[in-house]
């Protein structure tokens, strides 16, 4: 599967911060039950790699990937943990080379036209606009569509249930990323029904 088809699996990719790998499987099952298959586990916690491995082993309907991949070592560790794709907040030449060699879909982060052009030169035409709202959001994506019509985006950062549909309406947006599907309170309470309900609402965005 390439990055294009990966982002076509679900209109929203939850950005998941896991502090306890023991809840990873139940969390993943709750999201998949709501129609959200692509799960980004951010490499911001010590539990992230173990969470990825558990989801990969026990939730076959999920596509689990690593977020906040910043170095070759990050990517290699994520792949060892079973990650099926990766996303980064930015892109360096070393990371680009590692991503190309990895054999898995990789979506690098960009925030400007110049960064998007450099990512394209490195072989990436599916990009993560980050941090989306802070750098211009919908207005920037509309502006980039003119000179860079072949690029497609997964904007992340400042996106939630109130504005996701507006982003998804743009022709150059394939999916959006956001943390609102896994609120801290629901995770703490292990309220999987709440997370499934949020996932169902997010899945419906693709049908509008």
């Amino acid at each position: 599967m390439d990055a294009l088809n990966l982002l076509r699996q679900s209109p929203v990719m939850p950005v998941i911060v896991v502090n306890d790998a023991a809840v990873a499987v139940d969390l993943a099952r709750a999201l998949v039950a709501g129609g959200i298959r692509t799960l980004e586990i951010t490499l911001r916690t010590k539990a992230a790699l173990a969470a990825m491995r558990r989801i990969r082993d026990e939730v076959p309907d999920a596509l689990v990937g690593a977020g906040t991949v910043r170095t070759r070592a990050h990517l290699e560790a994520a792949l060892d943990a079973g990650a099926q794709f990766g996303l980064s907040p930015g892109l360096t030449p070393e990371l680009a080379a590692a991503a190309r060699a990895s054999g898995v879909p990789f979506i690098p982060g960009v925030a400007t036209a110049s960064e998007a052009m450099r990512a394209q030169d490195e072989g990436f035409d599916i990009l993560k606009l980050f941090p989306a709202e802070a750098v211009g959001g919908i207005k920037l994506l509309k502006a980039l569509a003119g000179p860079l019509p072949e690029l497609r985006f997964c904007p992340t950062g400042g996106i939630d249930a109130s504005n996701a549909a507006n982003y998804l309406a743009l022709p150059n947006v394939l999916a959006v990323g956001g943390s609102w599907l896994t609120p801290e309170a629901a995770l703490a309470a292990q309220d999987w029904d709440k997370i499934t309900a949020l996932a169902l609402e997010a899945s419906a965005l693709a049908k509008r």
Side-chain angles (χ1 to χ4, degrees):
M1 182 179 295
D2 58 16
L4 177 65
N5 286 312
L6 175 76
L7 291 182
R8 284 176 170 166
Q9 300 302 308
S10 303
V12 179
M13 183 182 297
V15 179
I16 305 168
V17 179
V18 179
N19 291 300
D20 181 3
V23 305
V25 169
D26 287 337
L27 172 59
R29 286 174 175 161
L31 289 164
V32 170
I36 298 296
R37 296 186 61 223
T38 51
L39 313 181
E40 175 188 345
I41 307 296
T42 67
L43 298 180
R44 301 179 194 173
T45 69
K46 293 179 180 179
L49 295 174
M52 272 184 260
R53 171 48 64 193
R54 290 192 181 198
I55 294 170
R56 184 68 192 275
D57 288 346
E58 299 184 48
V59 192
D61 290 334
L63 295 167
V64 62
T68 323
V69 177
R70 296 184 290 114
T71 66
R72 180 187 295 273
H74 283 166
L75 182 58
E76 290 174 350
L79 293 174
D80 286 344
Q84 294 162 281
F85 61 92
L87 301 99
S88 67
L91 188 65
T92 66
E94 181 183 19
L95 182 57
R100 286 194 301 269
S102 72
V104 302
F106 192 82
I107 303 172
V110 301
T112 67
S114 292
E115 290 176 6
M117 291 168 64
R118 283 197 293 271
Q120 190 175 25
D121 284 347
E122 293 280 8
F124 303 94
D125 55 11
I126 309 294
L127 308 173
K128 172 172 132 175
L129 182 69
F130 178 82
E133 282 284 282
V135 299
I138 288 172
K139 288 183 179 180
L140 177 57
L141 287 162
K142 287 181 176 179
L144 292 175
L148 302 169
E150 63 277 10
L151 297 182
R152 296 292 179 270
F153 294 90
C154 177
T156 305
I159 298 175
D160 56 29
S162 70
N163 59 7
N166 294 331
Y167 276 91
L168 290 167
L170 300 177
N172 59 346
V173 170
L174 293 169
V176 299
S179 59
W180 83 92
L181 299 188
T182 56
E184 288 184 13
L187 287 176
Q190 297 188 25
D191 187 349
W192 310 129
D193 288 341
K194 171 67 172 178
I195 288 174
T196 294
L198 291 170
L200 284 166
E201 292 174 1
S203 297
L205 291 173
K207 301 179 178 67
R208 294 178 183 173

